C-alpha cells in the first residue's frame, strides 16, 4: 500500500503505511520486509521534501539507508525461506545510496558504496543483472570524473554483451567500448571534437621553436598502458566485426597496427593487414576514415627552386630594382638567421600560380609485409592548389623519400597540414604534426619505437611547414647552351665563343632584364652581349633570344712552384675546382601590375626573378712558363754630322741607319747613347700536353708622321713575327722584342726609402714628385706590357692568348733600372766641320731624321785633320764633377793614339779632362784626329765621377762609399776612307 501511495503521489499516506509495515515486520522478525518498508519510508521522506537540500535531511537519509542495507544483509540467513534473493535488493539499495551521495566532495564515501556493489556482483547469477549493475557503476564513476574506473566497468559491460551471440549485443558492446577509448587514449580522431581538451592540449603543448612541453607529451603517450590499450582495440575490432561495421573495424585495426606494431608479431601484423583489406572490401569505393594506418609520413624538406627559378624582391622605385635583395631561392627570409631561439617567426615561401612545385616526404613501413600505397598526394585544405598523386611500394621494414608535386591555382596562402593517402582501400589523412609528436615522444622514451629509425632512416631535424604565399604568374626564362649543355673543354688561355639561348617559358612577358657576372674567374668572360637581350624586350611568352659570350680560359694556380716546368706524356688535365667557374646572373621581371587579376593590382608589386647561368668550363693545362729573362744588345752608331736622333723604321726604311727591314721595327736609336738598342724578353715555355702549339708574337706600335706640323691621329700598327712551334712534351724559347725607351731624368725617388727621408725632404713637394715619378714608372711598365701579345694556336679551332704580364714583371724586377732609368751621364760624338747649326743640332728633342750627304755618307778622309766634338749630358738634377777621357781603337781593339805604333794623331786633350756638367745640361769638348791608315775605328768616351752622391752610387750599385764611379759611353764607329 505504501508503494501504491508513492506511485499516486501521496508521500504522507505512504509514510503511514510504511510505518505500519515496519511495526509488523519487527513483530514477525522478518528483516527482509523490514528493510523494504524502511527503504520505502526513506523514499517517502525524500518525496515529501523534494527540492530541499538540507544537511539534516541528508544525514537522516544516510542513516536510514545504512540501516536498510544492513537489514538486507541480515536477511541472507533467511534466504532459504524466501522466494527472492535479498542480494539483488541490497545491491540496488547500495546503488541508490551511491547515486544520492554522488558528488565530488563525497567521492570517497561514494567509491566505498560502488566498491561494495562491485564485490556483490560476483554473487549474481543472472548475467543481465551483472550487466545492469556494471552499467550503473560505470555511470556513477563517470559522474565522479573517475574515467579510468568508468572505462573498466564499461569494458565489463562490453564483455557481457560479447558473451551474447547476436548482432545487437555486438553493436551495444562496440558502442560501450567506444566510450572507453578516450580514457584509454585510443580514441578515434573523429571522436575528438574541435574544442576537446585533448586537442587544445596538443595545440598548446608546442613551445616556441617546435619543442613540446614534457607534461603534454606524458599525457599523449603513456607507454605503460600498451598492453591494456591493445586489448581495448582488439575488443573494439572484434565487436565491430560481429556488429557488421566495416568502417569501425577498419579504424580499430588501423589504430592497433599503427600504434603497437612493435608489440605485435609478424603473423599478427599480417592478420591486421588482412582485417584492413577485408573491411575495405565491404566499404564503398572512396570511403574516408579519420584514423590513418600505414605508412608513417614525415616532412622531409622543401626543395629550393632551381637556379632558373630564383625569386627576388622588386623595388620599383629604383632602376636597379634587384639591388639589395638577398637571393635565397624561394625563401624570403633565410632559415639560418641568428637571434633568439624562441622566436616563432616561420620561413616564408613563395609559389607562383601555374608553376609546379615539389615537396619531399619520407614514408616508412616498419611492419613485416609489403605495403602498397595506391596514391599519396599533398593535402591542401585552402583549395587553391592542385596536388598530383603518386603510387609507392614499400618493402618490409623500409623507408623511402618521395617527391610530391602540385600546381598553385590562385593567389593567396597555402596550408599543407599533411598528406592524403589511399591505402588498404580507404582514404585517410596523415598529419605531419602527429608524426612529429610521435618522434618527439620516441626521443624522450615515452613511446615504443621510432618507425623511421626502425627502417634504417637517419635522424632528421624537425622541419616545420613554412608560411606559403602564392603570387600571380611571373615570366620564366629557361637557358640552354647552343650546341649542348656539357662542359666546354679549353686549354689555358684559349679564347672561345659560345651562344646562350634564353626562352620565356612563362605566361607573362619579360619587360625588364639586366645581365651581370658573378663567381670566380670573372675576368675569363671577355664580353657578353647584354644589349642583345635588352633590344629583344619585351620578350613575349614562347619567344627566344640568343646571347653571344666570349670566354678565355683562366690559368691554373699550382701548389708547387716547380710544377710549371714539368712535362708528362699524354698531357696533364687539371679540371676546374667546384665554384671556380664564372656565372651569368640575369635579373628579370614582368609587368609592374597584374593584368589578369585586377584584385591584386592594388597589392604589392610582383617580385622579379634571377636566372643563374653557370658557364661550365673544363680547363686543361696548356703551355707552362719555365722561366723568363731579359736580354739586351747594342749596335754602335756611326759618327755623323749631327747628334743621333730617334729613328723608327716605320718612318722611312731608306732613311734609317742599319734598319733596312720591317723585322727591325722595334729597334730604336737612343738619342743620348747614340747606339741602336735591342732588348728581348726570353720566355721558356713547356708543352706538357698531347697537342702541338704554334706561338705568334705581335707588338703594337704607334704610327706618326715625320713632320710634326702635319696633324693627324696616331693609329696602332701591329707587327707580327715568325711562328714558333712547340711539339708535345717539348720546350721552346720565344723572344719577345721590347721597346727601347727610358725615362728622361734620373730622380732620387727611385732610390730613397720612405723611412730614410729626413725632415727637409719630406715636404709636400718632394712627396708629390716622388709619387708622380713612381706613377710614371708604373705607367711605363703597364704600357710596355699592354703592347705585347703572345698568341697560340692548336689545330684548326683552338686558339688563345698567353698571359705574359707576370712573366714580364718578374723579368723586370731585377733590371728595372737598366731598362727604364737613364744613365747619369750620356756621351755622343759628332763631326764638327760640317755642323751647320751645332748648338741646335745637339738638342735631343729634334724630331728630324739624320740625313747624310751622298758624298760623305758619314765617312772621314785619311791624311786629313778631322775636327770632332764629344757631347756629355748630365741626366740628374745635380751638377756632376768628373774626369773625362776619350779613346780611339782600331778593329783589333788596340789603342790607336798612344804608343809607338800609333796610327791616329790627335790635336787637343784626350785624357784627364776635368769638367763640370750642370744639372740636365750638356757640355762640349772639341778635339781633332788625323787618321794615317784607312779602315774602321771606334771612339769611346768615359769618365770618373768625383764626389759621387747617394743617387749615383745607388744607380751604379756600389758596395762602399770610397769606390770610384765609372761612366762609359757606347762605342761610336768611324769609317776612314782613302789610301794608306
Amino acid at each position: 500500500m505504501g508503494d501504491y501511495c508513492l506511485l499516486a503521489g501521496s508521500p504522507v499516506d505512504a509514510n503511514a503505511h510504511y510505518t505500519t509495515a515496519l511495526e509488523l515486520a519487527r513483530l514477525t522478525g522478518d528483516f527482509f520486509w523490514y528493510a523494504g518498508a524502511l527503504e520505502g519510508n526513506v523514499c517517502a521522506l525524500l518525496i515529501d521534501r523534494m527540492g530541499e537540500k538540507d544537511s539534516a535531511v541528508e544525514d537522516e537519509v544516510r542513516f536510514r539507508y545504512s540501516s536498510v542495507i544492513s537489514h538486507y544483509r541480515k536477511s541472507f540467513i533467511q534466504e532459504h525461506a524466501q522466494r527472492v534473493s535479498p542480494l539483488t535488493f541490497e545491491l540496488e539499495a547500495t546503488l541508490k545510496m551511491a547515486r544520492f551521495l554522488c558528488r565530488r566532495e563525497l567521492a570517497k564515501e561514494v567509491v566505498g558504496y560502488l566498491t561494495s556493489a562491485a564485490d556483490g556482483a560476483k554473487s549474481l547469477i543472472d548475467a543481465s543483472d551483472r550487466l545492469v549493475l556494471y552499467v550503473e557503476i560505470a555511470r556513477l564513476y563517470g559522474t565522479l570524473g573517475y574515467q579510468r574506473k568508468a572505462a573498466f566497468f564499461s569494458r565489463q559491460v562490453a564483455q557481457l554483451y560479447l558473451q551474447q551471440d547476436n548482432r545487437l549485443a555486438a553493436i551495444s558492446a562496440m558502442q560501450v567500448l567506444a566510450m572507453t577509448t578516450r580514457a584509454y587514449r585510443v580514441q578515434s580522431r573523429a571522436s575528438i571534437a574541435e574544442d576537446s581538451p585533448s586537442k587544445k592540449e596538443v595545440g598548446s603543448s608546442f613551445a616556441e621553436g617546435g619543442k613540446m612541453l614534457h607534461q603534454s607529451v606524458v599525457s599523449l603517450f603513456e607507454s605503460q598502458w600498451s598492453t591494456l590499450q591493445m586489448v581495448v582495440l582488439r575488443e573494439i575490432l572484434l565487436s565491430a566485426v560481429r556488429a557488421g561495421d566495416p568502417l569501425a573495424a577498419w579504424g580499430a585495426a588501423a589504430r592497433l597496427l599503427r600504434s603497437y606494431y612493435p608489440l605485435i608479431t609478424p603473423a599478427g601484423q599480417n592478420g591486421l593487414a588482412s582485417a584492413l583489406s577485408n573491411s575495405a572490401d565491404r566499404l564503398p569505393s572512396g570511403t574516408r576514415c579519420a584514423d590513418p594506418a600505414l605508412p608513417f609520413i614525415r616532412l622531409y624538406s622543401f626543395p629550393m627552386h632551381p637556379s632558373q627559378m630564383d625569386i627576388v624582391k622588386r623595388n620599383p622605385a629604383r632602376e636597379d630594382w634587384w639591388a639589395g635583395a638577398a637571393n635565397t631561392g624561394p625563401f624570403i627570409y633565410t632559415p639560418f638567421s641568428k637571434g633568439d631561439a624562441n622566436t616563432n617567426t616561420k620561413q616564408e615561401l613563395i609559389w607562383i600560380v601555374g608553376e609546379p612545385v615539389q615537396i619531399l616526404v619520407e614514408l616508412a613501413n616498419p611492419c613485416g609485409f609489403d605495403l602498397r600505397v595506391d596514391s599519396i598526394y599533398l593535402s591542401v585544405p585552402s583549395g587553391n592548389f592542385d596536388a598530383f598523386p603518386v603510387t609507392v611500394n614499400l618493402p618490409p621494414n623500409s623507408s623511402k623519400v618521395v617527391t610530391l608535386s602540385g600546381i598553385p591555382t590562385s593567389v593567396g596562402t597555402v596550408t599543407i597540414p599533411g598528406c592524403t593517402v589511399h591505402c588498404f582501400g580507404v582514404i585517410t589523412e596523415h598529419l605531419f604534426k602527429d608524426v612529429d609528436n610521435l618522434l618527439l615522444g620516441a626521443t624522450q622514451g615515452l613511446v615504443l619505437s621510432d618507425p623511421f629509425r626502425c627502417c634504417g632512416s637517419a635522424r632528421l631535424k624537425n622541419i616545420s611547414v613554412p608560411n606559403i604565399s602564392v603570387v600571380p604568374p611571373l615570366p620564366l626564362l629557361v637557358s640552354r647552351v647552343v650546341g649542348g649543355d656539357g662542359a666546354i673543354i679549353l686549354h689555358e688561355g684559349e679564347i672561345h665563343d659560345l651562344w646562350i639561348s634564353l626562352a620565356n617559358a612563362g605566361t607573362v612577358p619579360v619587360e625588364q632584364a639586366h645581365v651581370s657576372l658573378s663567381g670566380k674567374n670573372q675576368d675569363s668572360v671577355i664580353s657578353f652581349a647584354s644589349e642583345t637581350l635588352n633590344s629583344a624586350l619585351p620578350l613575349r611568352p614562347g619567344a627566344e633570344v640568343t646571347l653571344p659570350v666570349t670566354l678565355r680560359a683562366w690559368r691554373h694556380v699550382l701548389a708547387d712552384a716547380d710544377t710549371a716546368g714539368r712535362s708528362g706524356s699524354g698531357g696533364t688535365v687539371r679540371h676546374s675546382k667546384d665554384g671556380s667557374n664564372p656565372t651569368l646572373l640575369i635579373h628579370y621581371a614582368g609587368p609592374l601590375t597584374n593584368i589578369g587579376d585586377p584584385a591584386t593590382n592594388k597589392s604589392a608589386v610582383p617580385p622579379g626573378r634571377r636566372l643563374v647561368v653557370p658557364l661550365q668550363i673544363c680547363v686543361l693545362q696548356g703551355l707552362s712558363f719555365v722561366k723568363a729573362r731579359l736580354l739586351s744588345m747594342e749596335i754602335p752608331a756611326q759618327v755623323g754630322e749631327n747628334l743621333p736622333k730617334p729613328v723608327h723604321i716605320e718612318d722611312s726604311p731608306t732613311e734609317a741607319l742599319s734598319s733596312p727591314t720591317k723585322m727591325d721595327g722595334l729597334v730604336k736609336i737612343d738619342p743620348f747613347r747614340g747606339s741602336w738598342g735591342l732588348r728581348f724578353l726570353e720566355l721558356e715555355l713547356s708543352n706538357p700536353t698531347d697537342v702541338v702549339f704554334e706561338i705568334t708574337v705581335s707588338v703594337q706600335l704607334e704610327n706618326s708622321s715625320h713632320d710634326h706640323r702635319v696633324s693627324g691621329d696616331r693609329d696602332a700598327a701591329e707587327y707580327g713575327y715568325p711562328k714558333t712551334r712547340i711539339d708535345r712534351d717539348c720546350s721552346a724559347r720565344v723572344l719577345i722584342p721590347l721597346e727601347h725607351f727610358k725615362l728622361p731624368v734620373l730622380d732620387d725617388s727611385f732610390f730613397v726609402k720612405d723611412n730614410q727621408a729626413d725632415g727637409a725632404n719630406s715636404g709636400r713637394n718632394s712627396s708629390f714628385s716622388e709619387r708622380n715619378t713612381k706613377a710614371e714608372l708604373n705607367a711605363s711598365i703597364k704600357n710596355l706590357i699592354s703592347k705585347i701579345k703572345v698568341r697560340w694556336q692548336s689545330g684548326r679551332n683552338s686558339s688563345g692568348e698567353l698571359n705574359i704580364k707576370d712573366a714580364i714583371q718578374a723579368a723586370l724586377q731585377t733590371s728595372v733600372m737598366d731598362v727604364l732609368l737613364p744613365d747619369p751621364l750620356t756621351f755622343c760624338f759628332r763631326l764638327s766641320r760640317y755642323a751647320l747649326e751645332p748648338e741646335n743640332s745637339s738638342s735631343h728633342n729634334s724630331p728630324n731624321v739624320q740625313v747624310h750627304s751622298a758624298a760623305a755618307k758619314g765617312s772621314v778622309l785619311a791624311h786629313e785633320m778631322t775636327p770632332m766634338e764629344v757631347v756629355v749630358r748630365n741626366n740628374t738634377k745635380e751638377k756632376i764633377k768628373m774626369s773625362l777621357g776619350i779613346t780611339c781603337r782600331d778593329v783589333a781593339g788596340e789603342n790607336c793614339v798612344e804608343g809607338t805604333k800609333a796610327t791616329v794623331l790627335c790635336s787637343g786633350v784626350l785624357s784627364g779632362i776635368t769638367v763640370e756638367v750642370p744639372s740636365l745640361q750638356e757640355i762640349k769638348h772639341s778635339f781633332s784626329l788625323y787618321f794615317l791608315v784607312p779602315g774602321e775605328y771606334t771612339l769611346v768616351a768615359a769618365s770618373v765621377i768625383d764626389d759621387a752622391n747617394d743617387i749615383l752610387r745607388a744607380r751604379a750599385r756600389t758596395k762602399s762609399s770610397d769606390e770610384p764611379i765609372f761612366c762609359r759611353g757606347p762605342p761610336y764607329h768611324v769609317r776612314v776612307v782613302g789610301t794608306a
Side-chain angles (χ1 to χ4, degrees):
M1 293 297 293
D3 291 342
Y4 284 123
C5 289
L6 285 180
L7 292 175
S10 177
V12 176
D13 294 337
N15 186 47
H17 289 294
Y18 286 135
T19 303
T20 303
L22 287 173
E23 291 297 332
L24 292 174
R26 187 181 298 113
L27 292 175
T28 59
D30 192 336
F31 296 114
F32 179 75
W33 285 103
Y34 183 85
L38 185 59
E39 187 176 2
N41 182 266
V42 175
C43 291
L45 176 63
L46 290 176
I47 294 176
D48 185 46
R49 299 186 181 184
M50 186 179 297
E52 296 182 10
K53 292 185 178 181
D54 191 356
S55 59
V57 175
E58 183 176 312
D59 293 339
E60 181 69 19
V61 172
R62 183 185 292 110
F63 173 75
R64 292 187 182 186
Y65 248 106
S66 299
S67 179
V68 168
I69 295 172
S70 65
H71 280 83
Y72 275 132
R73 289 175 182 168
K74 291 179 182 180
S75 65
F76 282 140
I77 59 176
Q78 302 173 352
E79 185 178 354
H80 64 279
Q82 305 290 336
R83 292 185 177 182
V84 179
S85 174
L87 178 61
T88 304
F89 293 91
E90 179 191 351
L91 294 178
E92 184 179 356
T94 303
L95 292 178
K96 287 182 180 179
M97 187 63 183
R99 190 184 306 116
F100 176 75
L101 299 176
C102 188
R103 296 194 304 274
R104 275 285 189 178
E105 54 270 18
L106 301 177
K108 184 177 181 180
E109 187 175 355
V110 175
V111 169
Y113 285 113
L114 294 178
T115 302
S116 176
D119 293 338
K122 301 176 183 178
S123 302
L124 293 176
I125 299 174
D126 191 350
S128 298
D129 291 342
R130 291 199 302 272
L131 190 148
V132 174
L133 178 63
Y134 288 146
V135 169
E136 187 65 19
I137 292 175
R139 188 183 68 82
L140 291 177
Y141 271 126
T143 304
L144 288 176
Y146 289 6
Q147 299 298 330
R148 297 182 184 179
K149 293 183 179 295
F152 172 79
F153 287 100
S154 297
R155 286 186 57 233
Q156 303 302 316
V157 174
Q159 290 176 1
L160 292 174
Y161 274 124
L162 289 175
Q163 293 174 4
Q164 306 177 27
D165 192 11
N166 61 80
R167 183 172 177 271
L168 294 178
I171 293 176
S172 299
M174 183 182 65
Q175 292 174 348
V176 172
L177 288 172
M179 293 186 296
T180 67
T181 55
R182 180 177 175 183
Y184 289 115
R185 307 292 184 186
V186 291
Q187 70 269 39
S188 172
R189 186 186 294 173
S191 64
I192 303 176
E194 292 295 330
D195 56 349
S196 64
S198 60
K199 186 160 186 178
K200 290 181 180 179
E201 186 179 39
V202 172
S204 61
S205 63
F206 281 94
E208 293 179 341
K211 294 184 178 180
M212 199 173 191
L213 300 179
H214 179 75
Q215 188 61 34
S216 300
V217 176
V218 174
S219 65
L220 284 175
F221 308 106
E222 303 189 32
S223 57
Q224 65 270 20
W225 285 17
S226 300
T227 303
L228 181 58
Q229 290 169 331
M230 291 175 61
V231 172
V232 173
L233 289 174
R234 188 180 297 111
E235 292 174 350
I236 295 176
L237 174 60
L238 180 61
S239 63
V241 171
R242 290 186 180 182
D245 190 342
L247 184 58
W250 198 96
R255 281 177 280 166
L256 185 59
L257 182 62
R258 183 178 179 88
S259 301
Y260 305 102
Y261 67 90
L263 302 179
I264 303 175
T265 62
Q269 294 175 356
N270 289 326
L272 288 175
S274 300
L276 289 170
S277 300
N278 295 334
S279 299
D281 292 340
R282 295 192 293 271
L283 290 172
S285 178
T287 301
R288 291 179 175 266
C289 183
D291 301 312
L294 297 178
F296 292 91
I297 304 174
R298 67 175 172 180
L299 184 62
Y300 192 82
S301 69
F302 278 80
M304 296 183 64
H305 285 182
S307 59
Q308 293 187 338
M309 304 172 72
D310 279 352
I311 298 174
V312 180
K313 283 187 176 181
R314 191 175 181 183
N315 185 1
R318 299 182 54 172
E319 183 178 357
D320 52 342
W321 50 266
W322 63 91
N327 298 297
T328 57
F331 293 99
I332 293 182
Y333 301 103
T334 172
F336 305 103
S337 59
K338 296 181 180 179
D340 190 1
N342 293 327
T343 178
N344 55 1
T345 302
K346 282 189 175 182
Q347 303 172 8
E348 292 193 9
L349 183 63
I350 294 181
W351 286 350
I352 298 94
V353 172
E355 295 189 8
V357 294
Q358 294 180 341
I359 294 177
L360 297 182
V361 296
E362 186 175 8
L363 281 63
N365 173 24
C367 296
F369 54 84
D370 291 328
L371 178 64
R372 174 179 172 82
V373 180
D374 297 323
S375 69
I376 177 175
Y377 54 90
L378 296 174
S379 174
V380 183
S382 55
N384 57 346
F385 185 85
D386 289 341
F388 303 147
V390 297
T391 301
V392 183
N393 292 318
L394 291 173
N397 300 313
S398 65
S399 63
K400 181 182 295 185
V401 177
V402 178
T403 301
L404 301 181
S405 58
I407 296 180
T409 57
S410 61
V411 177
T413 59
V414 173
T415 57
I416 305 179
C419 298
T420 301
V421 177
H422 186 199
C423 186
F424 293 113
V426 175
I427 300 175
T428 56
E429 192 84 6
H430 292 245
L431 301 179
F432 297 138
K433 177 183 63 177
D434 293 344
V435 177
D436 293 340
N437 294 343
L438 177 66
L439 299 180
L440 180 59
T443 57
Q444 299 183 358
L446 301 175
V447 293
L448 298 174
S449 177
D450 183 344
F452 294 94
R453 295 292 296 275
C454 293
C455 298
S457 178
R459 180 174 296 178
L460 185 65
K461 183 180 179 181
N462 187 23
I463 299 176
S464 61
V465 178
N467 296 326
I468 304 173
S469 60
V470 181
V471 298
L474 299 178
L476 177 61
L477 286 182
V478 179
S479 66
R480 66 178 181 88
V481 178
V482 178
D485 293 331
I488 304 170
I489 301 178
L490 303 176
H491 287 92
E492 293 175 332
E494 182 174 352
I495 299 175
H496 181 79
D497 293 329
L498 61 86
W499 291 263
I500 298 176
S501 174
L502 301 176
N504 186 3
T507 60
V508 177
V510 178
E511 294 190 355
Q512 295 178 338
H514 179 268
V515 185
S516 60
L517 288 175
S518 179
K520 296 183 179 179
N521 297 310
Q522 298 183 23
D523 295 339
S524 62
V525 181
I526 299 177
S527 65
F528 54 88
S530 58
E531 63 278 358
T532 303
L533 177 59
N534 294 330
S535 62
L537 299 179
L539 193 64
R540 301 295 179 184
E544 187 175 2
V545 63
T546 302
L547 301 182
V549 179
T550 303
L551 303 175
R552 176 170 53 206
W554 58 87
R555 181 182 178 185
H556 285 285
V557 179
L558 300 181
D560 299 329
D562 59 343
T563 308
R566 299 175 183 174
S567 61
S569 61
T572 303
V573 179
R574 294 198 297 267
H575 294 275
S576 303
K577 296 181 181 179
D578 293 338
S580 61
N581 290 320
T583 57
L584 286 181
L585 298 182
I586 303 177
H587 294 85
Y588 62 97
L592 292 174
T593 57
N594 304 315
I595 301 176
D597 190 1
T600 59
N601 286 342
K602 298 180 181 179
S603 62
V605 177
R609 282 188 144 161
R610 183 188 68 167
L611 172 62
V612 179
V613 183
L615 302 176
Q616 301 293 342
I617 305 174
C618 179
V619 180
L620 305 181
Q621 182 181 6
L623 295 176
S624 300
F625 288 112
V626 178
K627 62 180 179 180
R629 61 176 179 171
L630 191 67
L631 304 177
S632 62
M633 180 175 63
E634 289 183 340
I635 302 175
Q638 289 188 348
V639 178
E641 302 169 355
N642 300 320
L643 290 177
K645 306 299 188 298
V647 177
H648 297 268
I649 190 60
E650 58 267 27
D651 292 335
S652 176
T654 59
E655 297 176 0
L657 298 177
S658 304
S659 299
T661 64
K662 278 196 173 184
M663 293 305 301
D664 299 325
L666 287 178
V667 181
K668 292 186 177 182
I669 193 170
D670 190 332
F672 305 120
R673 295 179 62 86
S675 61
W676 299 96
L678 294 102
R679 295 190 181 273
F680 298 94
L681 180 65
E682 182 189 67
L683 299 180
E684 185 176 351
L685 304 177
S686 173
N687 179 13
T689 69
D690 56 357
V691 297
V692 178
F693 289 91
E694 289 186 348
I695 306 299
T696 302
V697 179
S698 61
V699 182
Q700 292 181 351
L701 297 176
E702 295 180 354
N703 291 334
S704 59
S705 61
H706 293 278
D707 193 351
H708 280 259
R709 292 174 297 179
V710 180
S711 62
D713 296 334
R714 297 187 176 184
D715 300 326
E718 187 172 279
Y719 293 95
Y721 292 87
K723 295 181 179 180
T724 301
R725 177 187 174 98
I726 306 179
D727 293 330
R728 53 180 296 183
D729 298 331
C730 295
S731 299
R733 290 181 174 87
V734 179
L735 293 179
I736 302 177
L738 297 182
E739 183 180 359
H740 190 153
F741 69 96
K742 289 183 181 292
L743 298 179
V745 180
L746 180 61
D747 200 307
D748 59 350
S749 302
F750 300 107
F751 310 106
V752 180
K753 297 182 180 179
D754 295 338
N755 56 2
Q756 293 178 348
D758 54 11
N761 296 329
S762 61
R764 291 185 178 180
N765 294 334
S766 60
S767 300
F768 180 75
S769 175
E770 181 178 351
R771 288 195 301 268
N772 287 347
T773 307
K774 290 183 178 179
E776 185 179 0
L777 176 63
N778 294 331
S780 300
I781 296 177
K782 292 180 179 179
N783 182 45
L784 174 63
I785 296 175
S786 63
K787 293 180 179 180
I788 303 171
K789 304 294 181 183
V790 181
R791 299 181 177 90
W792 58 264
Q793 184 174 357
S794 179
R796 293 183 178 181
N797 301 321
S798 180
S799 62
E801 183 176 329
L802 289 179
N803 184 5
I804 63 170
K805 176 181 178 181
D806 297 337
I808 294 180
Q809 288 183 344
L812 294 180
Q813 281 181 354
T814 58
S815 57
V816 63
M817 289 190 298
D818 295 332
V819 175
L820 298 178
L821 301 184
D823 295 333
L825 298 172
T826 52
F827 307 88
C828 295
F829 292 92
R830 65 178 176 182
L831 302 176
S832 61
R833 60 175 177 173
Y834 297 114
L836 300 178
E837 298 178 359
E839 295 298 330
N840 294 336
S841 63
S842 63
S843 176
H844 66 277
N845 294 323
S846 175
N848 298 327
V849 179
Q850 178 181 353
V851 180
H852 298 272
S853 63
K857 295 287 185 180
S859 303
V860 299
L861 297 176
H863 304 290
E864 288 188 3
M865 187 64 69
T866 304
M868 294 184 179
E869 291 180 350
V870 59
V871 180
V872 183
R873 176 176 174 81
N874 181 2
N875 296 318
T876 68
K877 293 184 177 181
E878 297 183 5
K879 63 180 180 179
I880 296 178
K881 295 181 179 180
M882 63 178 178
S883 176
L884 177 65
I886 302 171
T887 304
C888 182
R889 303 182 183 276
D890 55 17
V891 292
E894 299 293 336
N895 194 332
C896 306
V897 179
E898 300 177 354
T900 56
K901 297 181 179 180
T903 58
V904 178
L905 305 179
C906 65
S907 174
V909 182
L910 297 183
S911 61
I913 309 169
T914 302
V915 295
E916 181 177 304
V917 185
S919 170
L920 300 178
Q921 293 186 17
E922 302 173 354
I923 60 100
K924 294 183 293 183
H925 175 71
S926 301
F927 62 94
S928 298
L929 295 180
Y930 187 92
F931 296 94
L932 299 176
V933 178
E936 297 288 339
Y937 294 86
T938 301
L939 292 178
V940 179
S943 64
V944 179
I945 301 178
D946 301 332
D947 299 331
N949 54 24
D950 295 337
I951 300 175
L952 298 177
R953 295 191 178 277
R955 180 65 176 88
R957 299 187 179 92
T958 58
K959 297 182 179 179
S960 64
S961 58
D962 298 335
E963 185 177 353
I965 303 296
F966 293 96
C967 287
R968 175 184 175 276
Y972 276 72
H973 280 191
V974 179
R975 182 169 40 177
V976 180
V977 296
T979 58

